[in-house]
């Protein structure tokens, strides 16, 4: 069953057409990878899924996006972003303790019971495969963590409010190979709990972590399919040329 449906989505930044009539579905508890060369519209599509593009000046959008059958443009945007969380390319921990980074969204949502906060913070850090590394220093600054730990902390922060979908915009591109492997393992474990849409420039990463892959080129959705099928036997010539390294 589809968690998110995108129908005929077009996005313009001023006079630049970033997306042309994109339609696709994101299925529940899957990892969908968005691939394609720089400037093809991957991040624009990702940001459209929780209305982040609205924060940019001069953006115009048409088409429809639904979450569990409800149009997201009719939702309260705060509620939408609670249900559809976001992890950015570079980790962005707050200048607060590790505990308060994870608890932040819960406090904003009105949760102040300390016992429940403690439980939810531990739950989220455990889901993000970080609890064992930080459980004895929860009051230390999050800025003292390594880059890979900071990114997992940001994932824990997103998970704390129990979203249905997590959007990831190149979450491992700034990390070393060991930290990247941690993030990839984490993505595989998380899909039991949430639906994940990930933008990546790394086709090997897409092949490792995703169930399905969507290939975009010059703002158009060229092909979508099971990841191994799309990489090994693509239907469209442009997909075949891209995954074989002829351009990109």
């Amino acid at each position: 069953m589809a968690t998110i449906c995108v129908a005929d989505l077009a996005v313009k930044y001023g006079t630049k057409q970033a997306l042309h009539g994109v339609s696709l579905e994101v299925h529940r508890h899957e990892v969908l990878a968005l691939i394609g060369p720089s400037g093809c519209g991957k991040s624009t599509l990702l940001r459209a899924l929780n209305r982040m593009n609205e924060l940019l000046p001069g953006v115009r959008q048409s088409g429809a996006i639904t979450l569990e059958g409800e149009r997201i443009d009719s939702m309260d945007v705060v509620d939408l972003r609670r249900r559809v969380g976001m992890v950015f390319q570079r980790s962005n921990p707050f200048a607060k303790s590790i505990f308060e980074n994870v608890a932040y969204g819960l406090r904003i949502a009105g949760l102040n019971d300390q016992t429940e906060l403690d439980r939810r913070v531990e739950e989220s850090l455990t889901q993000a495969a970080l609890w064992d590394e930080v459980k004895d220093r929860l009051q230390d600054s999050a800025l003292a963590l390594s880059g890979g730990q900071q990114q997992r902390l940001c994932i824990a922060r997103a998970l704390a409010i129990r979203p249905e979908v997590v959007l990831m915009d190149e979450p491992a591109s700034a990390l070393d190979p060991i930290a990247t492997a941690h993030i990839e393992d984490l993505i595989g474990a998380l899909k039991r709990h949430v639906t994940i849409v990930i933008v990546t420039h790394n086709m090997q990463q897409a092949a490792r972590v995703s169930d399905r892959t969507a290939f975009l080129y010059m703002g158009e959705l060229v092909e979508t399919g099971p990841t191994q099928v799309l990489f090994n036997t693509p239907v469209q010539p442009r997909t075949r040329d891209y995954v074989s390294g002829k351009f990109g």
Side-chain angles (χ1 to χ4, degrees):
M1 181 180 291
T3 294
I4 294 176
C5 290
V6 180
D8 200 27
L9 177 68
V11 178
K12 267 189 172 183
Y13 300 117
T15 59
K16 175 180 168 51
Q17 188 87 33
L19 291 176
H20 304 263
V22 169
S23 297
L24 86 161
E25 293 185 345
V26 184
H27 301 154
R28 192 172 297 163
H29 295 297
E30 76 168 355
V31 180
L32 174 70
L34 305 179
I35 66 168
S38 295
C40 70
K42 303 184 298 295
S43 291
T44 296
L45 174 56
L46 191 77
R47 290 194 302 264
L49 301 181
N50 72 346
R51 293 172 54 184
M52 291 289 287
N53 289 328
E54 293 179 11
L55 301 174
L56 303 173
V59 172
R60 287 180 292 157
Q61 183 172 302
S62 61
I65 302 173
T66 59
L67 173 64
E68 298 291 356
E70 183 180 356
R71 284 186 63 125
I72 68 170
D73 57 4
S74 66
M75 293 181 184
D76 175 77
V77 72
V78 174
D79 183 54
L80 171 65
R81 291 177 188 155
R82 182 193 62 78
R83 296 175 66 186
V84 184
M86 186 98 177
V87 176
F88 296 94
Q89 182 173 2
R90 295 191 176 275
S91 58
N92 58 341
F94 304 141
K96 297 174 179 287
S97 70
I98 294 167
F99 183 95
E100 288 301 331
N101 263 267
V102 182
Y104 180 81
L106 298 172
R107 292 193 191 279
I108 293 294
L111 178 60
N112 291 303
D113 178 78
Q114 191 61 46
T115 300
E116 183 63 10
L117 280 172
D118 290 345
R119 192 181 72 78
R120 293 280 289 272
V121 167
E122 179 176 350
E123 173 189 272
S124 303
L125 287 168
T126 300
Q127 285 183 323
L130 191 57
W131 173 252
D132 287 341
E133 296 170 44
V134 302
K135 62 184 178 183
D136 297 323
R137 49 184 180 130
L138 293 176
Q139 299 310 314
D140 291 358
S141 171
L143 302 180
L145 297 173
S146 70
Q149 289 174 323
Q150 288 186 10
Q151 190 65 301
R152 280 183 283 152
L153 179 67
C154 292
I155 293 171
R157 189 172 66 198
L159 294 174
I161 53 175
R162 294 177 175 166
E164 298 160 44
V165 181
V166 175
L167 311 176
M168 297 186 171
D169 195 354
E170 300 205 54
S173 65
L175 303 179
D176 62 52
I178 293 173
T180 295
H182 280 306
I183 297 295
E184 292 181 1
D185 290 344
L186 176 57
I187 289 169
L190 285 178
K191 71 177 182 180
R192 297 196 301 267
H193 309 284
V194 296
T195 300
I196 297 173
V197 185
I198 178 172
V199 164
T200 179
H201 274 104
N202 185 325
M203 286 188 286
Q204 289 76 25
Q205 183 174 80
R208 288 191 296 264
V209 305
S210 67
D211 301 296
R212 290 192 309 129
T213 295
F215 169 57
L216 289 93
Y217 182 66
M218 296 184 68
E220 295 181 3
L221 179 61
V222 177
E223 187 169 349
T224 306
T227 295
Q228 295 307 314
V229 173
L230 186 136
F231 276 91
N232 294 320
T233 55
V235 173
Q236 298 297 325
R238 284 181 295 178
T239 311
R240 185 167 58 247
D241 289 347
Y242 182 73
V243 299
S244 67
K246 287 188 178 180
F247 72 94

